[in-house]
Amino acid sequence: MTTTTETPDTPGTDAQERRSWLREHSELGVCVLLLALGVLVLTDALTMDVDIAQRGPIGPKTVPIVVGIGLLVIAALLAVDVLRGGRGQAETGEDIDLSEPADWRTVSLLAGIFLASAVLIEPLGFPIAGALLFWGAAFALGSRRIDRDPLIAAVLSLVTYAVFNNLLGVPLPGGPLMGVL
């Protein structure tokens, strides 16, 4: 007579195995994101109203449909690769020390500067709000050249305004400088 001894499973083993499998296949999250984005792009492209006269087979729906199909194909290929055991390479930074804590001061300064420029763009116009944005970003990222940074920010903002407003035809608010520019 042979007897087998069965050991009861420890509670939580299935949950631990599931977490371990998900951790090993975490790239599937990127696949889900690409799939959702592809479905969104295709849905928007296929429900797009096209009221303009279209000449030939290529119209305004063509590029979004191609991009949506490309996203779905990439999601499927990546999922197959991950399920077959493929793994992404770990990030190798040149000068990044992952043991150091994040620099939340810089992140907070940049977020505040972006929010301030979004609020100030209507009343002050893009040239002034853009200059404050560029100067503030340079300051938050460590530049302390008070003599040079505001001048560079102003020139960069004015050039950006001129390119978008005059050359590309994208109207940006001019603010008080509207008559001057």
Side-chain angles (χ1 to χ4, degrees):
M1 174 178 218
T2 60
T3 60
T4 59
T5 57
E6 294 183 24
T7 58
D9 288 343
T10 55
T13 303
D14 290 338
Q16 289 173 348
E17 289 176 9
R18 193 174 313 121
R19 269 185 261 152
S20 174
W21 187 88
L22 286 174
R23 189 171 291 129
E24 291 173 7
H25 297 91
S26 61
E27 290 93 348
L28 289 175
V30 175
C31 299
V32 171
L33 180 68
L34 289 172
L35 178 72
L37 192 59
V39 168
L40 178 69
V41 168
L42 280 175
T43 303
D44 281 349
L46 294 175
T47 59
M48 182 187 303
D49 288 332
V50 181
D51 293 335
I52 61 172
Q54 178 177 334
R55 287 189 267 164
I58 297 180
K61 290 184 176 185
T62 305
V63 172
I65 288 174
V66 169
V67 169
I69 290 172
L71 286 168
L72 294 178
V73 168
I74 289 172
L77 291 175
L78 181 60
V80 167
D81 181 52
V82 169
L83 292 174
R84 285 186 176 174
R87 300 208 33 110
Q89 286 185 338
E91 178 87 20
T92 56
E94 292 177 16
D95 58 352
I96 298 172
D97 185 9
L98 296 177
S99 64
E100 291 292 319
D103 186 8
W104 291 109
R105 179 185 175 272
T106 302
V107 173
S108 301
L109 280 172
L110 284 172
I113 291 163
F114 286 135
L115 289 173
S117 68
V119 169
L120 295 174
I121 197 166
E122 244 346 280
L124 297 181
F126 183 83
I128 296 173
L132 292 174
L133 170 70
F134 295 136
W135 184 35
F139 181 82
L141 293 173
S143 179
R144 298 295 185 260
R145 297 287 308 261
I146 304 294
D147 59 335
R148 173 185 74 176
D149 290 345
L151 180 62
I152 293 173
V155 169
L156 186 60
S157 180
L158 288 172
V159 168
T160 304
Y161 177 78
V163 167
F164 276 89
N165 198 50
N166 300 336
L167 297 178
L168 297 176
V170 178
L172 295 174
L177 298 176
M178 192 64 157
V180 177
L181 302 174

